[in-house]
Amino acid sequence: MAFGLIIIGDEILSGKRVDQHFPKVLEILSSRGLSLSWAEYVGDDPARITATLKRTLSSDDIVFCTGGIGATPDDHTRQCAAAALGVPLLLHPQAREKIGERITDTAREKGEVPDFESAVNLHRLKMGEFPQGAEIIPNSYNKIPGFSVVNPGTQSPQKAAQTAHAGMHHFAPGFPVMAWPMFEWVLDTYHAALFHQNPQLEQSVLVFGAMESALTPLMEAIEAEFPLVKVFSLPHVGNAQMRNHIDLGVKGEPIQSAAAFVKLLAGLDQLHAEYKPA
């Protein structure tokens, strides 16, 4: 099982808006001892969105999706999720209730009586049409919910509500002020049992005047000796403040990672490499 992120919207790919979701999702996951395994950007193309969701829904991953769940012509995510699952879109009763509350609140703010049968308000209800079997995600900002679905073949929706280990997709609007609290809610509601289950330790040094090819045998030896550790090497081009260097380190299970770091420093000393703490 892994955590993934799908960010949907032409405005991100065209540069009209700068994506803020990726760094925030990293922060939300990290604060719970979790990490992001993959991320994808997808434009407002129904065929591509459907194909992407078909692929990710066939996994056991827990996936956050942002964007395209409104009811304007360029919003396709709800329909594509239903198509990928092979189920119809249905007006969710709790979504209908929450959207009704929003309609009432909006009318009250204007000093009006809500007209639930107006064309505008009937159209608003389309934002509550989710794939059959979906559950709503509360929206603390304006009450119009997102939705969650269980990946096919993982578990039933009933069991998914009782375990953190069900693969699921969680769909939220593209607006950060709405999406981020909604993602935190689904993590705390559905996946809390996964929090802080795999503690990680990461340590690194900055190595100067060395080629990655010269460091590769040391890196391979460390990963072979410590199977719960990954060795990373991040070259940096020099600038006015610092020479060319490599950020070389280890990350993984704390006990093995600590031992691997000692081994890494010893190996650098044997190579007479110049390094300092990162």
Side-chain angles (χ1 to χ4, degrees):
M1 179 182 292
F3 284 89
L5 173 64
I6 300 174
I7 299 165
I8 297 171
D10 285 346
E11 69 278 5
I12 299 295
L13 296 176
S14 69
K16 288 184 178 179
R17 287 188 179 175
V18 176
D19 170 47
Q20 302 177 60
H21 294 299
F22 180 80
K24 185 62 179 182
V25 168
L26 292 182
E27 176 189 320
I28 290 171
L29 290 171
S30 178
S31 68
R32 292 161 173 79
L34 304 170
S35 61
L36 188 68
S37 294
W38 57 267
E40 295 188 31
Y41 292 89
V42 184
D44 293 316
D45 180 279
R48 189 175 297 277
I49 296 170
T50 301
T52 300
L53 292 175
K54 277 186 178 180
R55 171 169 47 81
T56 60
L57 282 161
S58 67
S59 73
D60 292 330
D61 292 350
I62 296 168
V63 181
F64 301 113
C65 302
T66 73
I69 66 169
T72 57
D74 59 343
D75 290 319
H76 308 291
T77 305
R78 293 177 296 105
Q79 299 91 324
C80 292
L85 289 164
V87 299
L89 280 177
L90 299 175
L91 179 58
H92 195 288
Q94 288 177 281
R96 181 187 184 102
E97 178 183 345
K98 292 298 180 182
I99 294 171
E101 290 178 10
R102 175 62 178 171
I103 292 170
T104 300
D105 292 344
T106 302
R108 185 185 300 114
E109 291 168 2
K110 296 179 179 180
E112 302 173 353
V113 176
D115 179 5
F116 294 102
E117 298 302 317
S118 71
V120 171
N121 287 333
L122 289 174
H123 184 73
R124 285 178 176 173
L125 290 177
K126 289 188 174 295
M127 290 187 288
E129 293 180 353
F130 302 142
Q132 185 178 35
E135 296 295 335
I136 70 164
I137 304 173
N139 182 343
S140 58
Y141 184 80
N142 67 1
K143 297 185 178 180
I144 299 175
F147 65 98
S148 297
V149 298
V150 178
N151 300 359
T154 330
Q155 295 189 28
S156 69
Q158 292 75 20
K159 287 185 178 180
Q162 301 169 9
T163 176
H165 299 280
M168 298 183 72
H169 279 51
H170 304 292
F171 296 84
F175 298 103
V177 70
M178 302 180 196
W180 298 348
M182 295 167 85
F183 288 156
E184 293 193 277
W185 183 89
V186 296
L187 281 170
D188 296 339
T189 301
Y190 291 111
H191 310 298
L194 296 176
F195 295 175
H196 304 290
Q197 291 299 301
N198 296 297
Q200 300 281 297
L201 175 65
E202 179 175 322
Q203 299 179 90
S204 67
V205 292
L206 305 184
V207 183
F208 299 91
M211 300 292 291
E212 279 189 300
S213 57
L215 300 174
T216 298
L218 173 60
M219 298 168 64
E220 291 175 341
I222 290 173
E223 287 199 343
E225 183 174 349
F226 302 99
L228 301 181
V229 171
K230 288 185 177 180
V231 183
F232 60 87
S233 171
L234 303 172
H236 292 265
V237 176
N239 53 37
Q241 287 74 41
M242 189 176 295
R243 293 174 286 153
N244 290 5
H245 63 277
I246 297 171
D247 186 356
L248 182 68
V250 297
K251 58 184 177 181
E253 190 277 325
I255 295 176
Q256 285 200 14
S257 185
F261 189 63
V262 172
K263 189 91 170 184
L264 177 69
L265 297 183
L268 290 173
D269 290 337
Q270 289 181 351
L271 292 170
H272 304 290
E274 178 190 353
Y275 64 89
K276 71 174 186 179

